[in-house]
Amino acid sequence: MTHASPMRVLVTRPQPQADEWVARLEALGVEAAALPLLHIGDAPDAATLQQAREAARRQALVMFVSPSAVDRFFAGADAALGAAFGGSGPLAGSTGPGTQAALLRAGVPAAAIVSPPAHRQRFDSEALWRALLALQLDWRGRSVLIVRGEGGRDWLAETLRQQGAEVHFVEAYRRAAPRLDPAQQALLADALARPSAFCWLFSSSEAVRQLPLLAPQADWPAMRALATHERIVDTARSIGFGQVDEVGVAPAAVAKRLGSLYTIPRP
C-alpha cells in the first residue's frame, strides 16, 4: 500500500522531465507538481550543432551532460545515429540514470553506454570518470565530444586532456529563466505562502539560483528541500533554505527519503 507524503513535492527540472518525474512520484504515492525553474531553448548555433552530429561517429566518446543534451542532440540527427554507437563507433558517456534512459530512447545500444552504476549514490562527472577508468582505455590521441548547454563544468574535459585526449564541446541547448504560466505562478505563490506544505526538489544549482530572482522577498529559512548533489545542497543553503537534505537521483530514492524525513500519514 502506498501512502501520500504530508507535503507536496515541487519538481523543478525543466520540461518535459518535470512532468515525467511528477508522474513517477505520484505512482509511488507522493503528491507532486511541476514547477520548472529552467527553460531549455534552442542551440545558440544550429550549424555547429549539426556539424557535431556529423562528426559524432568519429569520436572515441560522446559525453552527454543531461537528458536535455541527449534530446536536443538527437532531435535533428539522422535516425541511424543512435545505432552507430558501440562496436567500432563511439561510446556514449552519461553521468546518471536520467541521461542513460534518454540515450536508450534515442536508440543508443545499452552496451555502448558508460554510466556510473545504478546502485551508486553519486552521479556526476567524477563518477563517470571512475566508470571510464574501469575500461582501461588509452586516451592518447583519441577524440572526445562533450554535449552540453551553454557553459558548465570542465572537470571531465581537463581530466581527459591530461590523459592525452582531444576534447571538444558543442552546445546543444540554452538554459534560460523559467517561463511560468498562470497556474505555475499560482503554485509558486502558494508554496511561498505555505512553506510547511511543500518540499522543493532540486537537481540543478542553476535552477536554485532562479528562485531569488522570482521571489526576492520570500522567507527562504522557512522552506525545506531535497537536492540530488552536495553542490546543489550548498547552493540551496546559500540562498537561505532552512532545511536541505541530499537525496538519490531516482524517484524511488526521493519517496524513501521523504518517508524517513517526514511523517507519512497512514489511513
Side-chain angles (χ1 to χ4, degrees):
M1 179 182 297
T2 59
H3 304 283
S5 166
M7 62 190 64
R8 197 175 191 188
V9 175
L10 297 174
V11 180
T12 61
R13 290 173 178 263
Q15 293 290 23
Q17 298 170 44
D19 284 343
E20 294 168 358
W21 264 74
V22 167
R24 295 173 68 186
L25 286 169
E26 290 185 336
L28 294 168
V30 176
E31 185 179 356
L35 189 60
L37 293 182
L38 286 176
H39 173 75
I40 302 300
D42 293 336
D45 188 335
T48 299
L49 177 57
Q50 183 56 34
Q51 291 170 2
R53 293 182 183 117
E54 294 168 357
R57 292 175 173 85
R58 300 191 295 274
Q59 309 299 311
L61 170 72
V62 183
M63 184 270 193
F64 299 86
V65 303
S66 67
S68 295
V70 177
D71 294 342
R72 293 302 179 114
F73 187 79
F74 284 96
D78 185 300
L81 179 57
F85 282 75
S88 60
L91 296 170
S94 156
T95 56
T99 303
Q100 185 174 8
L103 286 166
L104 292 171
R105 290 195 299 270
V108 177
I113 301 173
V114 183
S115 187
H119 65 273
R120 296 286 186 185
Q121 295 300 310
R122 184 61 54 85
F123 298 96
D124 53 18
S125 295
E126 290 85 347
L128 172 57
W129 176 240
R130 289 192 290 272
L132 288 167
L133 280 176
L135 300 179
Q136 298 183 326
L137 297 174
D138 183 356
W139 292 100
R140 288 175 295 183
R142 291 174 178 252
S143 184
V144 174
L145 175 66
I146 296 180
V147 184
R148 63 182 186 179
E150 290 181 296
R153 294 181 72 215
D154 292 339
W155 184 89
L156 183 61
E158 291 306 315
T159 300
L160 285 163
R161 285 175 178 144
Q162 290 170 11
Q163 300 295 316
E166 298 178 3
V167 183
H168 310 276
F169 294 96
V170 65
E171 296 172 346
Y173 59 94
R174 301 183 194 202
R175 292 181 294 269
R179 301 176 180 179
L180 302 183
D181 62 28
Q184 292 167 338
Q185 292 173 10
L187 178 61
L188 174 61
D190 191 20
L192 298 178
R194 299 188 303 128
S196 63
F198 294 86
C199 179
W200 296 80
L201 177 58
F202 297 126
S203 59
S204 162
S205 289
E206 189 170 357
V208 177
R209 287 191 285 266
Q210 295 294 330
L211 280 173
L213 305 176
L214 288 170
Q217 305 302 319
D219 182 15
W220 300 120
M223 309 290 174
R224 62 189 71 187
L226 296 174
T228 58
H229 195 282
E230 63 182 9
R231 286 191 295 272
I232 309 172
V233 171
D234 291 342
T235 303
R237 288 174 177 163
S238 74
I239 71 168
F241 266 75
Q243 180 176 347
V244 190
D245 295 280
E246 190 171 351
V247 68
V249 190
V254 172
K256 182 177 180 180
R257 189 67 170 149
L258 282 168
S260 67
L261 288 172
Y262 315 117
T263 302
I264 306 297
R266 296 180 180 273

